[in-house]
Amino acid sequence: MQDDSLKSWALWYAGMSLSVFPLKPGQKDPATEHGFKDSSNDKAQIERWWDRCPDYNVGIATGIEYGCLVMIDLDRNHKPGEDGLKR
C-alpha cells in the first residue's frame, strides 16, 4: 500500500477482489445514488470517486455477487433483552 489514505485502502480492498463504494465522510451512508449497487473493484472508478472526495469512507459490498464476503454485525444495546451479543 502506498500510504494510509482512504483511497489507498479502497484500492487495496479492490485488489483483494472485494467490491467497494464510497460512503459520506465520517458516516456509514452511501455517497452514490445506488449505494452498494454502485460498488466496483475497477481501479479507475475507485480513483475517480476518491479523487472527487478524499475523505469518503470505504464501504465494502457483501454477498456472493460482490466477492463472497459475509459480515455479521452485532450491536450492543443496553436495554434489557436487546443485547445482540447475547442472542
Side-chain angles (χ1 to χ4, degrees):
M1 186 176 322
Q2 292 178 338
D3 56 49
D4 202 28
S5 70
L6 292 167
K7 177 180 171 180
S8 289
W9 280 107
L11 290 166
W12 186 81
Y13 291 129
M16 302 289 290
S17 298
L18 297 173
S19 194
V20 302
F21 60 102
L23 301 174
K24 294 177 182 175
Q27 300 181 33
K28 295 181 183 179
D29 299 318
T32 64
E33 183 178 354
H34 301 107
F36 73 91
K37 292 181 181 179
D38 290 328
S39 66
S40 178
N41 58 13
D42 177 68
K43 180 181 176 183
Q45 176 61 62
I46 293 166
E47 288 181 350
R48 282 192 299 273
W49 281 330
W50 271 269
D51 286 346
R52 188 177 322 138
C53 181
D55 294 327
Y56 279 153
N57 280 343
V58 180
I60 300 174
T62 60
I64 195 163
E65 58 274 1
Y66 299 105
C68 297
L69 180 67
V70 176
M71 301 293 292
I72 298 174
D73 182 11
L74 298 174
D75 293 321
R76 302 285 322 245
N77 191 326
H78 299 290
K79 295 180 184 176
E82 295 185 21
D83 187 338
L85 296 178
K86 293 184 181 178
R87 290 184 180 225

